[in-house]
Structure formats: C-alpha cells, structure tokens
Amino acid sequence: MKKYLIILCSLCHYHSVWAQQGNYVLLQPNDGYKEIISKAAHVVPSPRQLRWQQLEITAFFHFGTNTFTGREWGTGKEDPKIFNPTALDANQWVQIAKDAGIKQVILTAKHHDGFCLWPTKTSKHSVAASPWKKGKGDVVKAVSRACKKYGIGFGIYLSPWDMNAAMYGSDAYNDFFVQQLTELLSNYGRIDEVWFDGANGEGLNGKKQVYDFDRWYKLIRELQPTATIAIMGPDVRWVGTETGYGRETEWSVVPTNNLNIASITEGSQKNLAFKPQGDMTGSDLGSRDKIINAKGLVWYPAETDVSIRPGWFFHEEENSKVKTPEKLLDIYFNSVGRNGVLLLNIPPDKEGLINDSDIAALKKWKQLRDNIFKKNFAKNAILESSNGINAGLILDNNDATHFTTTGNDTTAIIEIQLKTKATFNVLQLQENIRMGQRIEKFALEYWDGKTWIMAAQGTSIGFKRLLKFSTVKAVKLRLKILSSRLNPCLAEFGLYFMKV
Ligand code: FUL
C-alpha cells in the first residue's frame, strides 16, 4: 500500500492526468471539467472506511452520570457516588444489539461532564470513585469483552469537551486528553471507531480549549490503525441531522480544501488527516457543481446518528416514547438506504440494562427487515445488456463484483426477465464502491404487456440505495443507468415486497 501511494502522490504532484485510486485526490488548476469528474469517480474508500461502510447498522450506548441525574448534559460537578447501576450486564447490551443486526457498538467512555467509565489514571472523576463494584468496575472493559464474545465491533466516544477537568482551556488539557486516549487505545484490545463530537464549551477557568486534533489523529493511527475516526475526524462525516434521515442524493466523495498536504507527502495514506471544515448540513455536498471548484476531493462517507428515544441518555419518563418498529424501519430506509451507516443510540437504564421497551422495538424492527429482505424476486432472473458485461454479477450477493459497460459508455440498460410474475414495491441497488461512487441517475421500468412504465427513479446509489414505490406486478423489467461519472459499476440488484 505504501509503495503504491508513493507512486500515486508523485503522479498527482507532477502530472495533471491521474487515474490511480486512493481515498483522496488533489485537483490541479489546469484540470478540465471531464478530468475533474473522472478524478472524482476514482476516489475510493480506504480499507478501514470500506469495512465500516459494510457494517450498515451500528449502535451507540450513552451511559454515565446523566443516566442517574436524568440530564442530557451534566455539569462536571456530579458526585461520582451517584453512579451505581445495580445489575449492569454488558453481555445483555451487546446480545440485544447483535440480535437486532447491529454490527458494531460505540460506548460513551466520557461525555461532556468528564466522568470516565473506566478507572483512568488521569482523573479522580471516574467509576473508581463510585460505589459500583466497590470502585473496582470498568464499563469500557465489560463492553469491549462482550463485543469480543459476540463477535461485533467496538468503538469509543471520548468527548473533547470536559466540564470537570481543571486544566480544560489550557495546553495541558491536550496532554491529558492524549493520556486518556492512550489508555483507551492500549488496554482494551481492538478499537474499531473513535468518535469525537464538535462541542467545545467553556472550561472552569472560562477559557475555550483549542483541541490538538492532529496530535490525536496521529496517536489513533499509531495505536489502532484500523479504527475509523468519526465526525471531528478524517474518516467518517456527520450526515448533518440527528433525525435518522439522510440526504436523497448522498455522495461519499466530497470537496475538501484543507487536506493536510504535509501528511500526504509523507507518502502513506495512513497519515491522511484533515479536520472537517464547512457546513455539513446542506442538501447537496458532492454533486458536479460542488466538486468542480474544489482544491481536493476525499472519500468522506456519511454516518446517520439518531436515538431510539427522544434523548441520548436514558430517562424513565421516555419509556413510552421509544421509536416504534415502523419508525425504525423508515429510518433504516432513509439512512442505510441512502448510502449512510446508521448509528442508532440505545441507552442502558439506571440498573445498567437495556430497558424492555427498547428491546421490544428492536426485536420487531429486525423482524420487519427480515420479512422484507428474505426474498429477492429478481433471484435467478435472466439478465441482458447490449452495452454491458457481467450482468449476472448483480445477483450474486457479493458487493465486490459488478456489472459494467464497455468502451466509454456511462449509461446502460439491463433487461431483467423474472422467472415468474412477481409482486414487489422495494428496489435495492448497490455500487461496487471499491471502484468509486459513480452513478448519478437511474430508473426502474416494467413492461405492462404494451409499454414500459416507470416504477421508481433516483439519483445517487453508493454503497446501498433503497427505494419504496407503488406495488408493481410484472415479469419483465429494465434498469436504466441514465448518468454516471465513469463506466457504472453496479454490484447488486434486488426487488422485494413490503406490506404497507
Ligand atoms: C452531541 C452531544 O452533545 C450529545 O449529548 C450526544 O452525545 C450526541 C451524539 O452528540 O454532540
């Protein structure tokens, strides 16, 4: 990888024609329109970003002193003695997550109030000062072990904002934060995601803290090179809302004007580091109009975070406000089905258990998904494309193989003859993102015996796109790829039925 990237970097410095793949590209002042679009289509996820994207559904566990005070944000002045879960069982948390199809969990090791869920050497404000397990407990250890036991990923949320640390607002805080990160990244086995949010409140001394992100990124890359750094980090972007609903057109390749060139020229992608910049909430972050004037383009995919309850932390009075399975299904369609990874928060209660109301919703949500996706009506269909190759690969259940076009064709039509007439109302499409994200517009049509009728249409696809449409009965269909940045590379195609 290293050698390959050295070639890549020298190419992008000395030649404007660049068609190698990496997870970023610098645009040159003399790049023409076509060249920029082609460069964008060649930007691909790094191995850690690809692994993360394939998880599809991940979870947050918000747990800490707020669980016991009933607050969403603490003050940093909480007495550690209030932290006293009576029946904490991390195996229960992780098993419930796994049963719901969740592939990775992220624990709030420290929220803004500064209380640490592990017995840190950096501060007295931790589980070690609590009555839980007589001060001998370690929630980070319990959850990381449960994740290993059940075979799912484990990540940590470490709040940069710390209302308890006396040195917050001074240079010393960055050293303190590095020490906390070092403990978490050294003592708990593999860490798959490190989640930094952007909150940057005032410290006890009234001063604002300047976060030394570059130093933190370097440390994470050194200690846990496979971990993705999310939100205030270079690998995973916040989708821009906490509703669970991503954008209709979601590009994983977006402009960046602050790539750390010094790191890049060291010649290894593992050093790629940049701080997110600019507004991430707009309805369009990566269309042609947006990328054409950029200085650089980067693979920076969207994570869609939302809580199963109104708040991020557990509050008894919200037991009746847990999102319904139907609402969670709609969120699934609009997060995972819109080229995002869903990060669903499931906050454990005061006992240290996932509450029954959340468990019931999660179980039913999983059943709803299983019912829809158990049968792909396109299975064993006969596929034909006059200008494409390997059409059969879109039904092989493998997102690493794909249909593509010959020559320079950026449009395609795939005719689909089903084995028997079927009734369906959900379309699932996947691009092989190892080749980049390319498709800009597509449509599904069916033959009603006389003419072609539009069933569904959309813009971007990316790793996964799900569309619901009015129920169709048909035996012959065609998928039209109407616009693509380069030869489309379609990995998977599915037709499903959902009861409405
Ligand atoms: C935000 C925090 O302020 C919330 O409390 C929560 O942790 C959410 C996921 O990130 O920025």
Side-chain angles (χ1 to χ4, degrees), residues 60 62 66 72-73 108 111-112 157 161 195 197-199 242 305 312-313:
F60 247 151
H62 272 70
N66 293 337
E72 275 294 302
W73 281 11
T108 52
H111 205 252
H112 309 327
Y157 170 116
W161 185 20
W195 212 95
D197 89 339
E242 289 178 346
D305 63 334
W312 291 100
F313 284 87

Side-chain angles (χ1 to χ4, degrees), residues 391-402 491-493:
L393 295 179
I394 65 174
L395 292 174
D396 68 351
N397 263 325
N398 181 353
D399 64 35
T401 61
H402 59 265
E492 290 301 306
F493 173 86

Side-chain angles (χ1 to χ4, degrees), residues 62-255:
H62 272 70
F63 190 61
T65 47
N66 293 337
T67 311
F68 299 88
T69 58
R71 296 176 67 114
E72 275 294 302
W73 281 11
T75 60
K77 298 193 177 75
E78 290 78 15
D79 185 340
K81 292 198 173 57
I82 62 170
F83 183 87
N84 196 14
T86 46
L88 190 145
D89 180 4
N91 284 328
Q92 187 244 18
W93 307 3
V94 173
Q95 185 171 13
I96 282 157
K98 187 170 182 178
D99 289 350
I102 288 160
K103 301 278 164 46
Q104 181 159 300
V105 302
I106 300 174
L107 172 70
T108 52
K110 178 183 86 170
H111 205 252
H112 309 327
D113 52 74
F115 183 78
C116 297
L117 292 183
W118 80 103
T120 175
K121 293 199 176 94
T122 61
S123 159
K124 292 200 162 40
H125 201 54
S126 84
V127 282
S130 81
W132 177 59
K133 293 196 163 184
K134 300 197 169 81
K136 299 274 181 280
D138 184 339
V139 188
V140 177
K141 190 188 273 175
V143 180
S144 68
R145 281 196 175 159
C147 289
K148 268 161 210 101
K149 179 171 167 187
Y150 289 99
I152 71 170
F154 175 64
I156 49 153
Y157 170 116
L158 190 68
S159 169
W161 185 20
D162 188 322
M163 302 180 193
N164 179 267
M167 73 284 272
Y168 185 89
S170 72
D171 283 348
Y173 179 74
N174 282 312
D175 298 335
F176 167 91
F177 197 81
V178 158
Q179 247 180 295
Q180 293 198 330
L181 264 180
T182 306
E183 289 178 359
L184 290 167
L185 301 177
S186 310
N187 301 333
Y188 299 96
R190 193 172 124 164
I191 302 290
D192 296 293
E193 186 162 345
V194 180
W195 212 95
F196 294 138
D197 89 339
N200 187 188
E202 268 185 15
L204 296 173
N205 53 13
K207 280 198 214 148
K208 270 228 162 184
Q209 177 68 41
V210 178
Y211 299 141
D212 194 350
F213 282 111
D214 289 339
R215 194 172 157 204
W216 305 350
Y217 301 158
K218 223 170 152 215
L219 183 73
I220 298 165
R221 295 295 195 237
E222 205 177 290
L223 297 178
Q224 296 282 347
T226 57
T228 44
I229 312 174
I231 314 309
M232 290 308 293
D235 301 318
V236 170
R237 153 172 69 86
W238 182 48
V239 75
T241 127
E242 289 178 346
T243 59
Y245 289 72
R247 297 179 177 75
E248 174 114 34
T249 302
E250 185 59 84
W251 286 101
S252 293
V253 176
V254 294

Side-chain angles (χ1 to χ4, degrees), residues 293-394:
N293 295 314
K295 290 191 181 143
L297 300 173
V298 66
W299 188 272
Y300 197 32
E303 181 173 69
T304 313
D305 63 334
V306 61
S307 184
I308 195 166
R309 290 161 169 258
W312 291 100
F313 284 87
F314 177 85
H315 309 293
E316 194 82 45
E317 65 276 16
E318 291 182 356
N319 285 353
S320 58
K321 295 192 177 137
V322 171
K323 291 189 172 59
T324 62
E326 291 73 22
K327 175 74 179 171
L328 292 173
L329 181 66
D330 203 43
I331 285 175
Y332 175 77
F333 267 81
N334 287 286
S335 53
V336 177
R338 284 184 166 182
N339 191 28
V341 167
L342 173 59
L343 175 56
L344 178 67
N345 180 56
I346 314 162
D349 65 14
K350 284 185 187 180
E351 281 186 276
L353 294 169
I354 307 288
N355 197 264
D356 288 346
S357 22
D358 309 70
I359 297 174
L362 290 168
K363 274 197 178 146
K364 183 86 193 300
W365 176 48
K366 176 69 164 53
Q367 279 169 11
L368 291 175
R369 282 166 22 232
D370 287 349
N371 274 339
I372 298 169
F373 296 105
K374 65 178 182 250
K375 182 161 178 176
N376 181 356
F377 292 97
K379 202 177 167 212
N380 298 323
I382 298 163
L383 303 164
E384 259 177 50
S385 173
S386 59
N387 69 333
I389 49 169
N390 296 332
L393 295 179
I394 65 174

